[in-house]
Amino acid sequence: MTEHAEAAPRLTRRQRRRMILGGEYGIFVVAVVLLVSLANWGALKTNFAEWRVAKTLFPDIITVALRNTLLFTVTGFALGLAAGLVLALMRLSSVPPYRWFAIAYIEVFRGLPALLIFIFVGTGVPLAFPGVNFPGGVYGQAALALGAVSAAYMAETIRAGIEAVPRGQMEAARTLGMSHGRAMRSIIIPQALRIVIPPLTNELVLLFKDSSLALYLGVTLQQRELSKLAQDVTGQQGNTTPIIVAALCYLIITIPLGHLARRLEARQKRGQR
């Protein structure tokens, strides 16, 4: 027996990294195997993947629910973008009351849940202004609620985009004899909107999901969006398959939009290098 036992060889950093990575893969595989083996797939299929129930959703889930969801989203986004631009300009204004109003609006509407905004639009606004009818009825209410929520977020996004435009752009425009307002409309705002296209695309995805709150406005059968239709058919059939079908419809829209936002953001980063 030697006087000093040979020291065990030390692992290199790459070997340790491989061992850790192998352990993480092993944990993941074990978790998946346990999940698959313990789940009651028969009950899941019966309650969440019943083709007989799924067929009852068509064609209404496309011609009515998805159409209304898209309509709520697009009108709410347009209203929110317009209001957000105005709020961003007010936020940057040199007139204190404009800045105070914009700051108060942004802080309040970013701090409130969207559900409360929908409830207020559906019940509070008619009480506050009796006899005043929304253009388009429920469609107008949904657009107002979604626009009010998104305007607060878009305002901060657009403000950041305006501030990201180099100040030399404004100085060059003023040197050419442009007024401040014309320079903002012709030079600064178009550049700012190009900068903020990726986050605005993400906001469109959020609005698409928030459109499900339109059910709190008291929609009719022809005004139902995806979540409301799925909820109604689930109650009628006593089966939750409609929830899965509605979820797939949401994913068909949101996944490509999310991918588009990432592509636009990556392109923008490459353009800044």
Side-chain angles (χ1 to χ4, degrees), residues 115-153:
L115 173 60
L116 296 184
I117 305 301
F118 271 83
I119 294 175
F120 177 75
V121 169
T123 60
V125 173
L127 290 175
F129 304 97
V132 176
N133 295 321
F134 281 93
V138 169
Y139 296 101
Q141 289 179 312
L144 177 60
L146 288 171
V149 173
S150 62
Y153 294 93

Side-chain angles (χ1 to χ4, degrees), residues 32-52:
V32 171
V33 170
L34 287 175
L35 181 64
V36 171
S37 60
L38 295 177
N40 188 342
W41 293 103
L44 289 174
K45 180 181 181 302
T46 301
N47 289 279
F48 292 97
E50 188 65 43
W51 176 244
R52 174 187 58 82

Side-chain angles (χ1 to χ4, degrees), residues 64-100:
V64 176
L66 183 57
R67 182 201 66 188
N68 286 333
T69 297
L70 291 172
L71 185 58
F72 292 153
T73 303
V74 171
T75 54
F77 182 82
L79 184 59
L81 181 60
L85 177 59
V86 172
L87 286 169
L89 294 176
M90 293 175 68
R91 180 73 172 80
L92 296 171
S93 174
S94 59
V95 182
Y98 288 171
R99 290 201 311 272
W100 299 337

Side-chain angles (χ1 to χ4, degrees), residues 16-219:
R16 288 197 303 271
R17 185 179 303 169
R18 288 178 178 176
M19 289 183 62
I20 294 172
L21 186 61
E24 292 175 350
Y25 276 116
I27 294 172
F28 176 77
V29 171
V30 170
V32 171
V33 170
L34 287 175
L35 181 64
V36 171
S37 60
L38 295 177
N40 188 342
W41 293 103
L44 289 174
K45 180 181 181 302
T46 301
N47 289 279
F48 292 97
E50 188 65 43
W51 176 244
R52 174 187 58 82
V53 177
K55 288 192 298 183
T56 63
L57 293 166
F58 294 91
D60 286 352
I61 196 167
I62 303 297
T63 59
V64 176
L66 183 57
R67 182 201 66 188
N68 286 333
T69 297
L70 291 172
L71 185 58
F72 292 153
T73 303
V74 171
T75 54
F77 182 82
L79 184 59
L81 181 60
L85 177 59
V86 172
L87 286 169
L89 294 176
M90 293 175 68
R91 180 73 172 80
L92 296 171
S93 174
S94 59
V95 182
Y98 288 171
R99 290 201 311 272
W100 299 337
F101 175 82
I103 292 172
Y105 183 97
I106 292 169
E107 293 299 325
V108 169
F109 280 83
R110 285 201 307 176
L112 290 175
L115 173 60
L116 296 184
I117 305 301
F118 271 83
I119 294 175
F120 177 75
V121 169
T123 60
V125 173
L127 290 175
F129 304 97
V132 176
N133 295 321
F134 281 93
V138 169
Y139 296 101
Q141 289 179 312
L144 177 60
L146 288 171
V149 173
S150 62
Y153 294 93
M154 291 190 191
E156 287 295 271
T157 301
I158 295 172
R159 179 186 64 83
I162 291 174
E163 292 180 338
V165 177
R167 291 190 177 184
Q169 299 284 332
M170 174 61 76
E171 295 172 356
R174 297 302 298 272
T175 302
L176 294 174
M178 288 188 182
S179 65
H180 183 274
R182 183 181 176 187
M184 289 292 293
R185 292 191 305 270
S186 303
I187 297 176
I188 305 301
I189 291 178
Q191 292 186 64
L193 290 178
R194 284 196 294 270
I195 292 172
V196 300
I197 283 177
L200 289 182
T201 306
N202 287 325
E203 183 62 28
L204 181 61
V205 174
L206 295 176
L207 279 185
F208 186 76
K209 295 184 292 183
D210 285 344
S211 65
S212 62
L213 297 174
L215 63 89
Y216 291 97
L217 299 175
V219 296

